[in-house]
Amino acid sequence: MAQLVTAKRTLIDKANTTVVIVVSAATFLLVFSIIATKSFIQQAQYQDKVIQKKRVAVRTLKEDIESTKKLQASYIAFTTTSTNAIGGISTGSGKQDGNNAKIILDALPSTYDFPELTTSLESILSDKNVKFNSINGTDDEVTQSANLVSSTPEAIAMPFEFTVSGQYDNIRNVLTALEGSIRPMQINSLSISGNQDELTLGVVAQTYFQPAKSLNMRSVIVK
């Protein structure tokens, strides 16, 4: 009888052990499945975000390509007119000549260059029969070298002043020439002195330059 009880207990212990092993294995598989499923879902969601971002990038790229084609066509039309925006000949070499792209670059250069400004003033007034007495200003090229490019460029003032002498009609022509200059000339103050035979004109003014626009390429991190 004792042997029979012992055998039954042995069988029960084996059965309990088997149940524990089965339950443990099932629990492990369940937990693993939950974790794996969650990981797969998160990975799928991440990949979906990446795909969406790529689709947006591709769509933007296609739009940019179309915009580039339109811009190129507009640029060609803008620069191949026979007469430029200020009435000069596009293919000529006179002061008012040159295609519209050149006119714009001359009107608003992308770098600070005070010596070039003085040369430009002398060229503008060279045929006005006046005598240059002085051209003054601050050569701020070192400071402005930090403004070579910008993602949001804005026009920066270049102050200058000069004095010229000549007859009344010639002095008047100087002001007319400044008004019709390709480069914008903002006159801050004028002073005129002398007599009917010779007048001296003093001008305090400023023109502008605008730094080149930079194109910032960046990467997007998808989280």
Side-chain angles (χ1 to χ4, degrees):
M1 184 67 179
Q3 292 178 348
L4 181 59
V5 172
T6 301
K8 288 182 178 181
R9 286 180 178 177
T10 301
L11 292 174
I12 292 171
D13 290 339
K14 288 182 179 180
N16 289 339
T17 302
T18 302
V19 170
V20 170
I21 292 173
V22 171
V23 171
S24 298
T27 302
F28 171 78
L29 292 175
L30 178 61
V31 172
F32 176 79
S33 298
I34 292 174
I35 294 175
T37 301
K38 182 179 180 181
S39 177
F40 290 150
I41 291 174
Q42 290 177 341
Q43 187 66 22
Q45 290 175 339
Y46 171 76
Q47 292 297 335
D48 183 64
K49 289 181 181 179
V50 172
I51 292 172
Q52 293 301 324
K53 292 292 184 182
K54 287 184 176 181
R55 287 175 178 173
V56 172
V58 170
R59 184 165 60 250
T60 301
L61 180 60
K62 290 181 179 179
E63 292 174 354
D64 289 345
I65 291 174
E66 292 301 317
S67 297
T68 300
K69 292 179 180 179
K70 293 178 181 179
L71 179 61
Q72 184 179 20
S74 298
Y75 178 82
I76 293 174
F78 183 65
T79 57
T80 55
T81 57
S82 59
T83 304
N84 61 35
I86 58 175
I89 301 173
S90 295
T91 57
S93 57
K95 293 181 180 180
Q96 302 295 104
D97 295 338
N99 63 49
N100 285 323
K102 177 181 179 298
I103 297 299
I104 290 176
L105 290 176
D106 289 343
L108 203 59
S110 60
T111 57
Y112 185 99
D113 190 344
F114 189 79
E116 191 278 332
L117 172 60
T118 61
T119 301
S120 178
L121 281 173
E122 291 175 351
S123 176
I124 292 172
L125 305 181
S126 62
D127 60 349
K128 299 300 181 288
N129 296 319
V130 294
K131 180 179 69 175
F132 267 100
N133 298 325
S134 65
I135 302 177
N136 299 312
T138 302
D139 192 349
D140 201 24
E141 185 173 357
V142 175
T143 302
Q144 296 298 340
S145 62
N147 294 319
L148 295 179
V149 294
S150 172
S151 58
T152 55
E154 296 182 358
I156 299 175
M158 296 178 61
F160 66 94
E161 57 185 78
F162 68 90
T163 60
V164 293
S165 299
Q167 295 181 352
Y168 171 79
D169 288 340
N170 296 334
I171 293 295
R172 183 177 61 182
N173 291 337
V174 167
L175 298 177
T176 302
L178 291 178
E179 182 180 358
S181 169
I182 294 173
R183 294 190 68 162
M185 300 285 184
Q186 181 178 355
I187 298 176
N188 298 324
S189 66
L190 294 173
S191 63
I192 299 177
S193 61
N195 52 49
Q196 61 182 358
D197 295 324
E198 183 175 87
L199 295 174
T200 297
L201 171 68
V203 176
V204 177
Q206 61 186 22
T207 185
Y208 299 87
F209 81 99
Q210 180 168 302
K213 181 176 179 60
S214 62
L215 299 177
N216 295 325
M217 307 297 291
R218 61 188 182 91
S219 300
V220 177
I221 298 176
V222 179
K223 298 182 179 180

mmCIF file with all atom_site columns, all heavy atoms in Angstrom, residues 130-136 161-166 171 193 198-202:
data_model
loop_
_atom_site.group_PDB
_atom_site.id
_atom_site.type_symbol
_atom_site.label_atom_id
_atom_site.label_alt_id
_atom_site.label_comp_id
_atom_site.label_asym_id
_atom_site.label_entity_id
_atom_site.label_seq_id
_atom_site.pdbx_PDB_ins_code
_atom_site.Cartn_x
_atom_site.Cartn_y
_atom_site.Cartn_z
_atom_site.occupancy
_atom_site.B_iso_or_equiv
_atom_site.pdbx_formal_charge
_atom_site.auth_seq_id
_atom_site.auth_comp_id
_atom_site.auth_asym_id
_atom_site.auth_atom_id
_atom_site.pdbx_PDB_model_num
ATOM 1   N N   . VAL A 1 130 ? 32.401 118.757 -65.154 1.00 0.00 ? 130 VAL A N   1
ATOM 2   C CA  . VAL A 1 130 ? 32.609 119.264 -63.803 1.00 0.00 ? 130 VAL A CA  1
ATOM 3   C C   . VAL A 1 130 ? 33.951 118.744 -63.291 1.00 0.00 ? 130 VAL A C   1
ATOM 4   O O   . VAL A 1 130 ? 34.497 117.764 -63.804 1.00 0.00 ? 130 VAL A O   1
ATOM 5   C CB  . VAL A 1 130 ? 31.474 118.821 -62.839 1.00 0.00 ? 130 VAL A CB  1
ATOM 6   C CG1 . VAL A 1 130 ? 30.160 119.462 -63.227 1.00 0.00 ? 130 VAL A CG1 1
ATOM 7   C CG2 . VAL A 1 130 ? 31.342 117.302 -62.815 1.00 0.00 ? 130 VAL A CG2 1
ATOM 8   N N   . LYS A 1 131 ? 34.476 119.405 -62.269 1.00 0.00 ? 131 LYS A N   1
ATOM 9   C CA  . LYS A 1 131 ? 35.757 119.015 -61.682 1.00 0.00 ? 131 LYS A CA  1
ATOM 10  C C   . LYS A 1 131 ? 35.507 118.347 -60.336 1.00 0.00 ? 131 LYS A C   1
ATOM 11  O O   . LYS A 1 131 ? 34.837 118.914 -59.475 1.00 0.00 ? 131 LYS A O   1
ATOM 12  C CB  . LYS A 1 131 ? 36.645 120.249 -61.506 1.00 0.00 ? 131 LYS A CB  1
ATOM 13  C CG  . LYS A 1 131 ? 38.004 119.926 -60.892 1.00 0.00 ? 131 LYS A CG  1
ATOM 14  C CD  . LYS A 1 131 ? 38.857 121.177 -60.773 1.00 0.00 ? 131 LYS A CD  1
ATOM 15  C CE  . LYS A 1 131 ? 38.278 122.130 -59.726 1.00 0.00 ? 131 LYS A CE  1
ATOM 16  N NZ  . LYS A 1 131 ? 39.143 123.300 -59.504 1.00 0.00 ? 131 LYS A NZ  1
ATOM 17  N N   . PHE A 1 132 ? 36.052 117.162 -60.178 1.00 0.00 ? 132 PHE A N   1
ATOM 18  C CA  . PHE A 1 132 ? 35.962 116.474 -58.895 1.00 0.00 ? 132 PHE A CA  1
ATOM 19  C C   . PHE A 1 132 ? 36.924 117.119 -57.909 1.00 0.00 ? 132 PHE A C   1
ATOM 20  O O   . PHE A 1 132 ? 38.121 117.206 -58.154 1.00 0.00 ? 132 PHE A O   1
ATOM 21  C CB  . PHE A 1 132 ? 36.316 114.991 -59.052 1.00 0.00 ? 132 PHE A CB  1
ATOM 22  C CG  . PHE A 1 132 ? 35.123 114.108 -59.279 1.00 0.00 ? 132 PHE A CG  1
ATOM 23  C CD1 . PHE A 1 132 ? 34.793 113.684 -60.550 1.00 0.00 ? 132 PHE A CD1 1
ATOM 24  C CD2 . PHE A 1 132 ? 34.326 113.717 -58.209 1.00 0.00 ? 132 PHE A CD2 1
ATOM 25  C CE1 . PHE A 1 132 ? 33.704 112.874 -60.762 1.00 0.00 ? 132 PHE A CE1 1
ATOM 26  C CE2 . PHE A 1 132 ? 33.232 112.905 -58.416 1.00 0.00 ? 132 PHE A CE2 1
ATOM 27  C CZ  . PHE A 1 132 ? 32.906 112.485 -59.697 1.00 0.00 ? 132 PHE A CZ  1
ATOM 28  N N   . ASN A 1 133 ? 36.371 117.562 -56.789 1.00 0.00 ? 133 ASN A N   1
ATOM 29  C CA  . ASN A 1 133 ? 37.214 118.101 -55.728 1.00 0.00 ? 133 ASN A CA  1
ATOM 30  C C   . ASN A 1 133 ? 37.576 117.027 -54.705 1.00 0.00 ? 133 ASN A C   1
ATOM 31  O O   . ASN A 1 133 ? 38.717 116.975 -54.224 1.00 0.00 ? 133 ASN A O   1
ATOM 32  C CB  . ASN A 1 133 ? 36.511 119.269 -55.023 1.00 0.00 ? 133 ASN A CB  1
ATOM 33  C CG  . ASN A 1 133 ? 36.255 120.421 -55.983 1.00 0.00 ? 133 ASN A CG  1
ATOM 34  O OD1 . ASN A 1 133 ? 37.051 120.684 -56.886 1.00 0.00 ? 133 ASN A OD1 1
ATOM 35  N ND2 . ASN A 1 133 ? 35.120 121.080 -55.818 1.00 0.00 ? 133 ASN A ND2 1
ATOM 36  N N   . SER A 1 134 ? 36.614 116.166 -54.387 1.00 0.00 ? 134 SER A N   1
ATOM 37  C CA  . SER A 1 134 ? 36.875 115.096 -53.420 1.00 0.00 ? 134 SER A CA  1
ATOM 38  C C   . SER A 1 134 ? 35.774 114.053 -53.467 1.00 0.00 ? 134 SER A C   1
ATOM 39  O O   . SER A 1 134 ? 34.640 114.349 -53.842 1.00 0.00 ? 134 SER A O   1
ATOM 40  C CB  . SER A 1 134 ? 36.963 115.662 -51.991 1.00 0.00 ? 134 SER A CB  1
ATOM 41  O OG  . SER A 1 134 ? 35.712 116.206 -51.596 1.00 0.00 ? 134 SER A OG  1
ATOM 42  N N   . ILE A 1 135 ? 36.158 112.825 -53.110 1.00 0.00 ? 135 ILE A N   1
ATOM 43  C CA  . ILE A 1 135 ? 35.208 111.733 -52.895 1.00 0.00 ? 135 ILE A CA  1
ATOM 44  C C   . ILE A 1 135 ? 35.620 111.081 -51.588 1.00 0.00 ? 135 ILE A C   1
ATOM 45  O O   . ILE A 1 135 ? 36.740 110.595 -51.451 1.00 0.00 ? 135 ILE A O   1
ATOM 46  C CB  . ILE A 1 135 ? 35.236 110.702 -54.034 1.00 0.00 ? 135 ILE A CB  1
ATOM 47  C CG1 . ILE A 1 135 ? 34.926 111.351 -55.380 1.00 0.00 ? 135 ILE A CG1 1
ATOM 48  C CG2 . ILE A 1 135 ? 34.230 109.568 -53.758 1.00 0.00 ? 135 ILE A CG2 1
ATOM 49  C CD1 . ILE A 1 135 ? 35.009 110.389 -56.540 1.00 0.00 ? 135 ILE A CD1 1
ATOM 50  N N   . ASN A 1 136 ? 34.731 111.082 -50.639 1.00 0.00 ? 136 ASN A N   1
ATOM 51  C CA  . ASN A 1 136 ? 35.071 110.560 -49.315 1.00 0.00 ? 136 ASN A CA  1
ATOM 52  C C   . ASN A 1 136 ? 34.067 109.503 -48.875 1.00 0.00 ? 136 ASN A C   1
ATOM 53  O O   . ASN A 1 136 ? 32.917 109.470 -49.322 1.00 0.00 ? 136 ASN A O   1
ATOM 54  C CB  . ASN A 1 136 ? 35.086 111.688 -48.272 1.00 0.00 ? 136 ASN A CB  1
ATOM 55  C CG  . ASN A 1 136 ? 36.124 112.744 -48.599 1.00 0.00 ? 136 ASN A CG  1
ATOM 56  O OD1 . ASN A 1 136 ? 37.267 112.420 -48.899 1.00 0.00 ? 136 ASN A OD1 1
ATOM 57  N ND2 . ASN A 1 136 ? 35.723 114.014 -48.555 1.00 0.00 ? 136 ASN A ND2 1
ATOM 58  N N   . GLU A 1 161 ? 30.326 110.659 -49.751 1.00 0.00 ? 161 GLU A N   1
ATOM 59  C CA  . GLU A 1 161 ? 30.089 112.079 -50.042 1.00 0.00 ? 161 GLU A CA  1
ATOM 60  C C   . GLU A 1 161 ? 31.125 112.554 -51.044 1.00 0.00 ? 161 GLU A C   1
ATOM 61  O O   . GLU A 1 161 ? 32.240 112.014 -51.121 1.00 0.00 ? 161 GLU A O   1
ATOM 62  C CB  . GLU A 1 161 ? 30.132 112.907 -48.767 1.00 0.00 ? 161 GLU A CB  1
ATOM 63  C CG  . GLU A 1 161 ? 31.419 112.796 -47.966 1.00 0.00 ? 161 GLU A CG  1
ATOM 64  C CD  . GLU A 1 161 ? 31.329 113.551 -46.656 1.00 0.00 ? 161 GLU A CD  1
ATOM 65  O OE1 . GLU A 1 161 ? 30.707 113.015 -45.718 1.00 0.00 ? 161 GLU A OE1 1
ATOM 66  O OE2 . GLU A 1 161 ? 31.866 114.679 -46.613 1.00 0.00 ? 161 GLU A OE2 1
ATOM 67  N N   . PHE A 1 162 ? 30.757 113.567 -51.811 1.00 0.00 ? 162 PHE A N   1
ATOM 68  C CA  . PHE A 1 162 ? 31.706 114.116 -52.791 1.00 0.00 ? 162 PHE A CA  1
ATOM 69  C C   . PHE A 1 162 ? 31.360 115.574 -53.064 1.00 0.00 ? 162 PHE A C   1
ATOM 70  O O   . PHE A 1 162 ? 30.242 116.040 -52.769 1.00 0.00 ? 162 PHE A O   1
ATOM 71  C CB  . PHE A 1 162 ? 31.677 113.301 -54.095 1.00 0.00 ? 162 PHE A CB  1
ATOM 72  C CG  . PHE A 1 162 ? 30.396 113.415 -54.873 1.00 0.00 ? 162 PHE A CG  1
ATOM 73  C CD1 . PHE A 1 162 ? 30.222 114.406 -55.840 1.00 0.00 ? 162 PHE A CD1 1
ATOM 74  C CD2 . PHE A 1 162 ? 29.350 112.519 -54.659 1.00 0.00 ? 162 PHE A CD2 1
ATOM 75  C CE1 . PHE A 1 162 ? 29.048 114.507 -56.553 1.00 0.00 ? 162 PHE A CE1 1
ATOM 76  C CE2 . PHE A 1 162 ? 28.173 112.614 -55.371 1.00 0.00 ? 162 PHE A CE2 1
ATOM 77  C CZ  . PHE A 1 162 ? 28.016 113.610 -56.321 1.00 0.00 ? 162 PHE A CZ  1
ATOM 78  N N   . THR A 1 163 ? 32.332 116.283 -53.613 1.00 0.00 ? 163 THR A N   1
ATOM 79  C CA  . THR A 1 163 ? 32.119 117.670 -54.046 1.00 0.00 ? 163 THR A CA  1
ATOM 80  C C   . THR A 1 163 ? 32.647 117.830 -55.461 1.00 0.00 ? 163 THR A C   1
ATOM 81  O O   . THR A 1 163 ? 33.685 117.260 -55.819 1.00 0.00 ? 163 THR A O   1
ATOM 82  C CB  . THR A 1 163 ? 32.835 118.668 -53.119 1.00 0.00 ? 163 THR A CB  1
ATOM 83  O OG1 . THR A 1 163 ? 34.245 118.413 -53.129 1.00 0.00 ? 163 THR A OG1 1
ATOM 84  C CG2 . THR A 1 163 ? 32.305 118.569 -51.696 1.00 0.00 ? 163 THR A CG2 1
ATOM 85  N N   . VAL A 1 164 ? 31.916 118.569 -56.250 1.00 0.00 ? 164 VAL A N   1
ATOM 86  C CA  . VAL A 1 164 ? 32.332 118.875 -57.623 1.00 0.00 ? 164 VAL A CA  1
ATOM 87  C C   . VAL A 1 164 ? 32.111 120.366 -57.870 1.00 0.00 ? 164 VAL A C   1
ATOM 88  O O   . VAL A 1 164 ? 31.292 121.009 -57.186 1.00 0.00 ? 164 VAL A O   1
ATOM 89  C CB  . VAL A 1 164 ? 31.539 118.050 -58.662 1.00 0.00 ? 164 VAL A CB  1
ATOM 90  C CG1 . VAL A 1 164 ? 31.866 116.580 -58.566 1.00 0.00 ? 164 VAL A CG1 1
ATOM 91  C CG2 . VAL A 1 164 ? 30.035 118.269 -58.492 1.00 0.00 ? 164 VAL A CG2 1
ATOM 92  N N   . SER A 1 165 ? 32.833 120.898 -58.847 1.00 0.00 ? 165 SER A N   1
ATOM 93  C CA  . SER A 1 165 ? 32.697 122.315 -59.211 1.00 0.00 ? 165 SER A CA  1
ATOM 94  C C   . SER A 1 165 ? 32.432 122.433 -60.694 1.00 0.00 ? 165 SER A C   1
ATOM 95  O O   . SER A 1 165 ? 32.943 121.631 -61.495 1.00 0.00 ? 165 SER A O   1
ATOM 96  C CB  . SER A 1 165 ? 33.981 123.090 -58.855 1.00 0.00 ? 165 SER A CB  1
ATOM 97  O OG  . SER A 1 165 ? 34.231 123.023 -57.466 1.00 0.00 ? 165 SER A OG  1
ATOM 98  N N   . GLY A 1 166 ? 31.637 123.431 -61.061 1.00 0.00 ? 166 GLY A N   1
ATOM 99  C CA  . GLY A 1 166 ? 31.347 123.640 -62.469 1.00 0.00 ? 166 GLY A CA  1
ATOM 100 C C   . GLY A 1 166 ? 30.283 124.705 -62.645 1.00 0.00 ? 166 GLY A C   1
ATOM 101 O O   . GLY A 1 166 ? 29.799 125.301 -61.673 1.00 0.00 ? 166 GLY A O   1
ATOM 102 N N   . ILE A 1 171 ? 26.296 121.484 -63.117 1.00 0.00 ? 171 ILE A N   1
ATOM 103 C CA  . ILE A 1 171 ? 25.951 121.016 -61.773 1.00 0.00 ? 171 ILE A CA  1
ATOM 104 C C   . ILE A 1 171 ? 24.567 120.377 -61.779 1.00 0.00 ? 171 ILE A C   1
ATOM 105 O O   . ILE A 1 171 ? 24.336 119.333 -61.137 1.00 0.00 ? 171 ILE A O   1
ATOM 106 C CB  . ILE A 1 171 ? 26.005 122.180 -60.768 1.00 0.00 ? 171 ILE A CB  1
ATOM 107 C CG1 . ILE A 1 171 ? 27.442 122.669 -60.587 1.00 0.00 ? 171 ILE A CG1 1
ATOM 108 C CG2 . ILE A 1 171 ? 25.400 121.772 -59.435 1.00 0.00 ? 171 ILE A CG2 1
ATOM 109 C CD1 . ILE A 1 171 ? 28.366 121.656 -59.966 1.00 0.00 ? 171 ILE A CD1 1
ATOM 110 N N   . SER A 1 193 ? 27.376 126.239 -53.194 1.00 0.00 ? 193 SER A N   1
ATOM 111 C CA  . SER A 1 193 ? 27.994 127.536 -52.911 1.00 0.00 ? 193 SER A CA  1
ATOM 112 C C   . SER A 1 193 ? 28.734 128.024 -54.149 1.00 0.00 ? 193 SER A C   1
ATOM 113 O O   . SER A 1 193 ? 28.982 127.249 -55.080 1.00 0.00 ? 193 SER A O   1
ATOM 114 C CB  . SER A 1 193 ? 28.967 127.420 -51.717 1.00 0.00 ? 193 SER A CB  1
ATOM 115 O OG  . SER A 1 193 ? 30.003 126.496 -52.014 1.00 0.00 ? 193 SER A OG  1
ATOM 116 N N   . GLU A 1 198 ? 30.968 129.904 -61.323 1.00 0.00 ? 198 GLU A N   1
ATOM 117 C CA  . GLU A 1 198 ? 31.334 128.555 -60.886 1.00 0.00 ? 198 GLU A CA  1
ATOM 118 C C   . GLU A 1 198 ? 30.654 128.236 -59.564 1.00 0.00 ? 198 GLU A C   1
ATOM 119 O O   . GLU A 1 198 ? 30.720 129.014 -58.615 1.00 0.00 ? 198 GLU A O   1
ATOM 120 C CB  . GLU A 1 198 ? 32.851 128.407 -60.733 1.00 0.00 ? 198 GLU A CB  1
ATOM 121 C CG  . GLU A 1 198 ? 33.266 126.988 -60.344 1.00 0.00 ? 198 GLU A CG  1
ATOM 122 C CD  . GLU A 1 198 ? 34.766 126.801 -60.299 1.00 0.00 ? 198 GLU A CD  1
ATOM 123 O OE1 . GLU A 1 198 ? 35.361 127.070 -59.233 1.00 0.00 ? 198 GLU A OE1 1
ATOM 124 O OE2 . GLU A 1 198 ? 35.333 126.396 -61.331 1.00 0.00 ? 198 GLU A OE2 1
ATOM 125 N N   . LEU A 1 199 ? 30.000 127.085 -59.535 1.00 0.00 ? 199 LEU A N   1
ATOM 126 C CA  . LEU A 1 199 ? 29.341 126.619 -58.328 1.00 0.00 ? 199 LEU A CA  1
ATOM 127 C C   . LEU A 1 199 ? 30.055 125.368 -57.807 1.00 0.00 ? 199 LEU A C   1
ATOM 128 O O   . LEU A 1 199 ? 30.648 124.609 -58.574 1.00 0.00 ? 199 LEU A O   1
ATOM 129 C CB  . LEU A 1 199 ? 27.880 126.267 -58.616 1.00 0.00 ? 199 LEU A CB  1
ATOM 130 C CG  . LEU A 1 199 ? 26.956 127.411 -59.032 1.00 0.00 ? 199 LEU A CG  1
ATOM 131 C CD1 . LEU A 1 199 ? 25.575 126.866 -59.413 1.00 0.00 ? 199 LEU A CD1 1
ATOM 132 C CD2 . LEU A 1 199 ? 26.824 128.432 -57.913 1.00 0.00 ? 199 LEU A CD2 1
ATOM 133 N N   . THR A 1 200 ? 29.987 125.198 -56.511 1.00 0.00 ? 200 THR A N   1
ATOM 134 C CA  . THR A 1 200 ? 30.519 123.983 -55.888 1.00 0.00 ? 200 THR A CA  1
ATOM 135 C C   . THR A 1 200 ? 29.355 123.228 -55.246 1.00 0.00 ? 200 THR A C   1
ATOM 136 O O   . THR A 1 200 ? 28.613 123.785 -54.437 1.00 0.00 ? 200 THR A O   1
ATOM 137 C CB  . THR A 1 200 ? 31.567 124.318 -54.811 1.00 0.00 ? 200 THR A CB  1
ATOM 138 O OG1 . THR A 1 200 ? 32.680 124.976 -55.440 1.00 0.00 ? 200 THR A OG1 1
ATOM 139 C CG2 . THR A 1 200 ? 32.059 123.043 -54.130 1.00 0.00 ? 200 THR A CG2 1
ATOM 140 N N   . LEU A 1 201 ? 29.213 121.980 -55.660 1.00 0.00 ? 201 LEU A N   1
ATOM 141 C CA  . LEU A 1 201 ? 28.125 121.129 -55.157 1.00 0.00 ? 201 LEU A CA  1
ATOM 142 C C   . LEU A 1 201 ? 28.697 120.104 -54.196 1.00 0.00 ? 201 LEU A C   1
ATOM 143 O O   . LEU A 1 201 ? 29.635 119.371 -54.529 1.00 0.00 ? 201 LEU A O   1
ATOM 144 C CB  . LEU A 1 201 ? 27.430 120.415 -56.319 1.00 0.00 ? 201 LEU A CB  1
ATOM 145 C CG  . LEU A 1 201 ? 26.421 119.319 -55.948 1.00 0.00 ? 201 LEU A CG  1
ATOM 146 C CD1 . LEU A 1 201 ? 25.194 119.926 -55.267 1.00 0.00 ? 201 LEU A CD1 1
ATOM 147 C CD2 . LEU A 1 201 ? 26.007 118.518 -57.187 1.00 0.00 ? 201 LEU A CD2 1
ATOM 148 N N   . GLY A 1 202 ? 28.130 120.049 -52.998 1.00 0.00 ? 202 GLY A N   1
ATOM 149 C CA  . GLY A 1 202 ? 28.494 119.011 -52.031 1.00 0.00 ? 202 GLY A CA  1
ATOM 150 C C   . GLY A 1 202 ? 27.330 118.051 -51.850 1.00 0.00 ? 202 GLY A C   1
ATOM 151 O O   . GLY A 1 202 ? 26.198 118.474 -51.627 1.00 0.00 ? 202 GLY A O   1
#
